[in-house]
């Protein structure tokens, strides 16, 4: 089985979010970038397939040179080859279009992407990709088993979960549950050394046009101070929630 | 030309989010000087949609669609959009709507923006505001394609009554092979889901162990609320993963979010920040959650929560 894991390069979850150039650009100053958490769960599941079922695992990112350390980290975790499609990621559609070309050229059977990337939270790249290459697609995937060309997956739905059967070629939008937090791997020294020797192939972009473009950013309005209520007077909280906040 | 809205139903009944997306579609239709058409799948009675501004309903009735399938549902919506010449398609932020929207976007060659929080600031160029960086910021984004898809964030727009009378007609799309077959669905029918809830009661590590979750459940029950938890609580196995909220868990956009024994780490707050009113109960007055909350009680959850549940019961009894 040939697996492709799509890796989005995102600010670490503790990052302070600021903008520059008149609020038109994300300020990367002092921001630490990481593998998108949803993709890290997917990559770890891919390593399981590699080790237990003999799959090959490539990782791909659509982005500029600045994303290479993130791809190297994925190699250090155990991926075989990294691919960087050399173009800035402008919107979900154009990224999906680039990925579709990579999947076709590489004849991948299984594409593991994340439920959403924690920067733009689009939640759209894997679904668009699946539609473009006419593959099956499972969103919010919390469990995946593959046997030959058939697959069984579990999808999280509002208020529960759903078990589905499907077949390869398959794209999933994965998240925690695919593997547990405790299964995630921190690259060790050997992994890091080996990653330096593994191929990181830069491919030129097929010219996919973006369909949407961000014009400006804004931050939420600053919040007023918290209203403190005495622990011996919880009735006051009930009153405030009813009369002032009007939420009960 | 019209605005098409996908109004979801479950076992034939509309969800509240369906009326919200209908209200929102009506607001866009007014901006653009057109009308709203809704598409429904196996809904029993569609007359209520008129109360939220829908003028025409396309009813798809097909027992093959009893179980949700993203690809076939997307195909049905795509054909409805083509038939109506819709320039804008509105969907909700339910798990199912998010599943089908990207497929629909490719089918319609339409630009899609999710997590939209307001009506478009402009319809030409079509510009929407949506939350990004897990609620730490908003982006104003232009959609440049002829047809646009807008995914509305839950509880962002609210319900707007707008009585029209909806005419209904049957609609029979041609459906593709699905490729993904549902084998079984495991869903608690007696509980409110976090996505649909107006109130969410959430517990953190401050509750000390799973045996104390009765506190959270009783409070949630009086409020008709969904229960949630912080990440360590689900990592420790005290609660199921499906209750984990925050940046790497489920997003919460309820009207009221009550955090009990949760410190308010940045990753937790990111996921719940779009809730309208936030209450924190925590022993530590320095807990970061107090900076994010609207109301706070510095106190021991084991004393405060039972009292609060009691007072809410009295309140409910009086206001029933
Ligand atoms: C990559 C990454 C992603 C993450 N994603 C998420 C996420 O999506 N969601 C999430 O929640 N976290 C997330 N976290 C974890 C986050 O950083 C915090 O560790 C976590 O939110 C803390 O959970 P907590 O508040 O329940 O526990 P703690 O931080 O241990 O806080 C417990 C609180 O309970 C209070 N307390 C103790 N006893 C009582 C009592 N008797 N009554 C009342 N209060 C009491 C304490 O004062 C304290 O404030 C993430 C972390 C990382 C690194
Ligand atoms: N620039 C990118 N390069 C590679 N994969 C991406 C990129 N952007 C998004 N993805 C994948 O698509 C998933 C969903 O992203 P999004 O639709 O942007 O929320 C991510 O978890 C990644 O797996």
């Amino acid at each position: 089985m040939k697996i492709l894991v799509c890796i989005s390069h995102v600010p670490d979850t503790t990052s302070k979010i600021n903008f520059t150039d008149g609020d038109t650009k994300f300020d990367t100053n002092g921001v630490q970038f990481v593998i998108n958490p949803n993709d890290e769960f997917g990559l770890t599941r891919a390593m399981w397939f590699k080790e237990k079922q003999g799959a090959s695992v490539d990782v791909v990112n659509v982005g500029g040179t600045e994303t290479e350390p993130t791809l190297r980290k994925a190699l250090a975790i155990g991926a075989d080859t990294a691919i960087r499609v050399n173009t800035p990621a402008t919107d979900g559609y154009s990224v999906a279009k680039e990925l579709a070309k990579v999947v076709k050229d590489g004849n991948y059977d299984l594409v593991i992407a994340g439920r959403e990337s924690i920067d733009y939270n689009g939640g759209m790249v894997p679904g668009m990709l699946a539609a473009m290459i006419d593959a099956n697609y499972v969103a919010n995937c919390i469990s995946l088993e593959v046997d030959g060309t058939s697959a069984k997956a579990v999808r999280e739905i509002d208020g529960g979960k759903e078990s589905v059967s499907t077949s390869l070629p398959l794209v999933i939008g994965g998240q925690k549950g695919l593997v547990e937090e405790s299964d995630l791997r921190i690259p060790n020294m050997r992994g890091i050394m080996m990653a330096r020797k593994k191929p990181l192939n830069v491919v030129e972009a097929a010219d996919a046009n973006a369909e949407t473009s961000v014009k400006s950013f804004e931050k939420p309005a600053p919040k007023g101070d918290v209203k403190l209520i005495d622990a011996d007077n919880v009735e006051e909280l009930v009153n405030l929630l009813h009369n002032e906040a009007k939420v009960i | 030309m019209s605005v098409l809205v996908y109004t979801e139903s479950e076992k034939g009944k509309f969800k509240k989010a369906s009326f919200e997306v209908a209200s929102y579609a009506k607001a866009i239709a007014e901006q653009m000087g057109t009308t709203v058409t809704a598409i429904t799948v196996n809904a029993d009675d569609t007359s209520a949609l008129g109360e939220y501004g829908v003028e025409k309903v396309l009813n798809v009735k097909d027992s093959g669609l009893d179980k949700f399938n993203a690809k076939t549902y997307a195909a049905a919506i795509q054909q409805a959009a083509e038939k109506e010449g819709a320039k804008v398609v509105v969907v909700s932020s339910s798990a199912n709507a998010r599943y089908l929207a990207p497929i629909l976007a490719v089918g319609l060659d339409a630009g899609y923006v999710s997590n939209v929080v307001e009506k478009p600031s402009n319809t030409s160029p079509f510009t929407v505001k949506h939350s990004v960086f897990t609620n730490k910021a908003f982006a104003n984004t232009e959609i440049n394609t002829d047809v646009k898809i807008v995914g509305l964030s839950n509880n962002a727009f609210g319900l707007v009554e707008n009585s029209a009378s909806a005419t209904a007609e049957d609609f029979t799309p041609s459906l593709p092979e699905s490729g993904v077959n549902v084998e079984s669905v495991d869903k608690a029918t007696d509980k409110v889901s976090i996505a649909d809830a107006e109130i969410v009661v959430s517990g953190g590590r401050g509750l000390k162990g799973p045996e104390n979750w009765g506190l959270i459940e009783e409070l949630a029950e009086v409020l008709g609320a969904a229960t949630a938890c912080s990440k360590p609580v689900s990592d420790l196995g005290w609660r199921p993963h499906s209750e984990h909220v925050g940046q790497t868990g489920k997003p919460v956009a309820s009207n009221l979010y009550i955090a009990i024994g949760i410190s308010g780490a940045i990753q937790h707050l990111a996921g719940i920040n779009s809730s309208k009113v936030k209450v924190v109960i925590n022993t530590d007055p320095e807990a970061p959650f107090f900076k994010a909350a609207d109301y706070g009680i510095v106190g021991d959850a084991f004393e405060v929560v039972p009292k609060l549940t009691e007072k809410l019961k009295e309140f409910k009894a009086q206001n029933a």
Side-chain angles (χ1 to χ4, degrees):
Chain A
M1 179 164 57
K2 280 194 81 181
I3 304 178
L4 182 69
V5 182
C6 304
I7 303 278
S8 162
H9 159 91
V10 298
D12 167 41
T13 56
T14 57
S15 306
K16 294 260 182 299
I17 304 300
N18 291 305
F19 304 102
T20 58
D21 292 19
D23 285 336
T24 58
K25 284 209 173 64
F26 174 56
D27 184 357
T28 56
N29 223 322
V31 172
Q32 176 93 24
F33 281 84
V34 295
I35 298 177
N36 183 42
N38 292 311
D39 304 343
E40 202 177 340
F41 290 111
L43 175 60
T44 311
R45 185 65 189 161
M47 296 319 301
W48 186 94
F49 285 122
K50 176 176 156 147
E51 286 155 16
K52 302 278 186 302
Q53 297 187 347
S56 71
V57 178
D58 295 346
V59 291
V60 61
N61 171 264
V62 178
T65 47
E66 71 282 0
T67 73
E68 291 192 0
T70 300
L71 285 172
R72 287 274 174 221
K73 185 176 172 203
L75 292 172
I77 289 173
D80 303 312
T81 305
I83 302 164
R84 182 171 67 80
V85 181
N86 186 29
T87 183
T90 37
D91 78 338
Y93 177 84
S94 57
V95 168
K97 198 105 202 180
E98 297 297 345
L99 293 174
K101 184 162 179 297
V102 172
V103 176
K104 279 194 186 136
D105 292 348
N107 259 315
Y108 291 96
D109 308 296
L110 172 64
V111 180
I112 300 182
R115 174 191 70 175
E116 67 173 24
S117 52
I118 63 167
D119 50 1
Y120 293 99
N121 312 106
M124 59 182 75
V125 167
M128 287 178 165
L129 167 63
M132 287 168 182
I133 61 175
D134 203 21
N136 291 320
Y137 171 48
V138 177
N140 293 15
C141 185
I142 53 173
S143 160
L144 177 66
E145 308 280 348
V146 178
D147 180 6
T149 59
S150 14
K152 286 196 181 313
V154 180
R155 169 174 86 97
E156 197 168 79
I157 57 176
D158 292 335
K161 52 193 177 187
E162 183 180 272
S163 303
V164 301
S165 61
T166 182
S167 59
L168 304 180
L170 172 68
V171 178
I172 66 158
Q175 61 186 67
K176 186 166 93 173
L178 269 184
V179 299
E180 293 309 317
E181 191 83 17
S182 52
D183 300 324
L184 296 178
R185 302 174 183 194
I186 297 161
N188 56 21
M189 216 40 201
R190 186 162 165 271
I192 295 167
M193 298 299 288
M194 278 171 62
R196 290 197 191 139
K197 299 202 197 85
K198 289 181 181 173
L200 193 165
N201 302 328
V202 178
V203 301
E204 284 318 311
D207 63 318
N209 291 323
E211 296 187 327
T212 62
S213 59
V214 175
K215 292 296 158 188
S216 64
F217 291 100
E218 48 190 275
K219 302 242 271 187
K223 238 194 64 26
D225 282 345
V226 60
K227 229 179 227 182
L228 288 179
I229 296 120
D230 198 281
D232 295 322
N233 193 13
V234 292
E235 194 159 10
E236 179 62 10
L237 178 60
V238 177
N239 288 337
L240 287 167
L241 291 178
H242 179 60
N243 296 317
E244 189 179 82
K246 302 194 189 327
V247 285
I248 59 169
Chain B
M1 192 189 90
S2 69
V3 174
L4 182 75
V5 59
Y6 168 45
T7 44
E8 291 156 89
S9 54
E10 202 168 305
K11 299 213 169 74
K13 303 270 172 303
F14 288 115
K15 302 168 120 191
K16 186 189 145 209
S18 303
F19 300 132
E20 187 177 24
V21 283
S23 306
Y24 181 79
K26 175 66 179 173
I28 298 182
E30 275 173 358
Q31 281 177 301
M32 297 176 59
T34 180
T35 57
V36 179
T37 301
I39 171 165
T40 68
V41 179
N42 295 342
D44 297 335
D45 175 8
T46 60
S47 58
L49 293 174
E51 290 161 32
Y52 300 95
V54 173
E55 292 190 9
K56 178 174 169 188
V57 183
L58 298 176
N59 276 324
V60 181
K61 298 266 187 192
D62 182 339
S63 58
L65 294 174
D66 275 343
K67 283 183 185 146
F68 175 82
N69 180 280
K71 189 171 172 183
T72 48
Y73 275 51
I77 300 170
Q78 177 180 336
Q79 289 163 45
E82 285 162 354
K83 169 177 145 73
E84 293 294 298
K87 292 291 176 221
V88 179
V89 180
V90 178
V91 298
S92 80
S93 288
S94 71
N96 289 350
R98 282 170 182 271
Y99 189 3
L100 67 78
I103 302 172
L104 179 63
V106 172
L108 286 172
D109 254 321
Y112 163 47
V113 176
S114 55
N115 300 317
V116 171
V117 295
E118 284 176 2
K119 73 178 185 190
S121 58
N122 194 349
T123 54
S124 176
F126 195 90
T127 314
V128 285
K129 179 168 161 179
H130 57 114
S131 66
V132 291
F133 295 100
T134 330
N135 299 316
K136 291 178 190 166
F138 297 102
N140 294 296
T141 293
E142 274 180 26
I143 308 182
N144 306 317
T145 45
D146 183 36
V147 180
K148 291 110 185 145
I149 303 181
V150 182
L152 180 67
S153 215
N154 283 349
N155 287 324
F157 190 73
L159 303 183
V160 181
E161 298 211 9
N162 211 321
S163 77
S165 58
T167 58
E169 60 185 67
D170 289 338
F171 178 59
T172 316
S174 64
L175 301 175
E177 283 292 319
S178 81
V180 177
N181 301 306
V182 178
E183 302 289 334
S184 65
V185 177
D186 175 5
K187 186 169 168 164
T189 43
D190 54 333
K191 280 191 71 181
V192 202
S193 73
I194 292 172
D196 293 331
E198 295 190 22
I199 304 180
V200 173
V201 178
S202 190
R205 203 147 53 178
L207 283 161
K208 312 279 192 284
E211 66 281 6
N212 298 324
W213 239 261
L215 278 185
I216 301 287
E217 276 164 353
E218 280 160 31
L219 177 57
E221 195 182 322
V222 233
L223 289 167
T227 53
C229 68
S230 67
K231 177 168 175 286
V233 165
S234 76
D235 288 343
L236 289 163
W238 296 358
R239 300 296 292 177
H241 283 321
S242 54
E243 286 198 359
H244 157 201
V245 297
Q247 187 155 21
T248 52
K250 285 210 171 67
V252 181
S254 55
N255 287 332
L256 174 60
Y257 182 76
I258 304 182
I260 301 167
I262 298 179
S263 58
I266 187 165
Q267 298 96 348
H268 185 87
L269 296 177
I272 60 98
N273 245 340
S274 51
S275 291
K276 294 206 180 68
V277 177
K278 280 151 278 190
V279 174
V280 55
I281 300 171
N282 195 307
T283 41
D284 175 10
E286 302 294 320
F289 213 118
F290 284 99
K291 293 212 167 61
D294 301 280
Y295 302 101
I297 295 183
V298 178
D300 187 339
F302 296 94
E303 289 164 23
V304 174
V305 176
K307 279 197 237 164
L308 180 60
T309 305
E310 223 26 69
K311 291 290 171 201
L312 280 165
K313 274 189 190 149
E314 288 169 20
F315 167 82
K316 290 274 156 167
Q318 281 161 16
N319 290 268

